[in-house]
Amino acid sequence: ELDETVKVKLTIEYAGEAFSGFQRQAGQQTVQGSIEAALSTMFAGYAKKTGLNAPEECLLTGAGRTDAG
């Protein structure tokens, strides 16, 4: 049995003015939600091209700090 979980480390930096914080929130544009949506789209396109299975959604776990200003 294969473990289909893929773990990667992303180091990101962003200007936060366009977001309602990092963590996913219903009805709000967040950094986590935006990255998850982009990764899900990317993996779905790859799966279609290669015929491999893709996850229905990609979920992130964030760890870090926020600096005001």
Side-chain angles (χ1 to χ4, degrees), residues 11-26:
T11 302
I12 62 169
E13 184 176 333
Y14 60 92
E17 297 87 20
F19 299 99
S20 296
F22 180 86
Q23 191 172 14
R24 185 183 335 103
Q25 300 176 51

Side-chain angles (χ1 to χ4, degrees), residues 6 8 38-48 50 52-55 58:
V6 176
V8 297
L39 289 173
S40 295
T41 300
M42 181 180 76
F43 284 119
Y46 178 77
K48 184 177 180 181
T50 62
L52 299 173
N53 292 329
C58 294

Side-chain angles (χ1 to χ4, degrees), residues 14 63-68:
Y14 60 92
R65 56 177 280 174
T66 301
D67 292 326

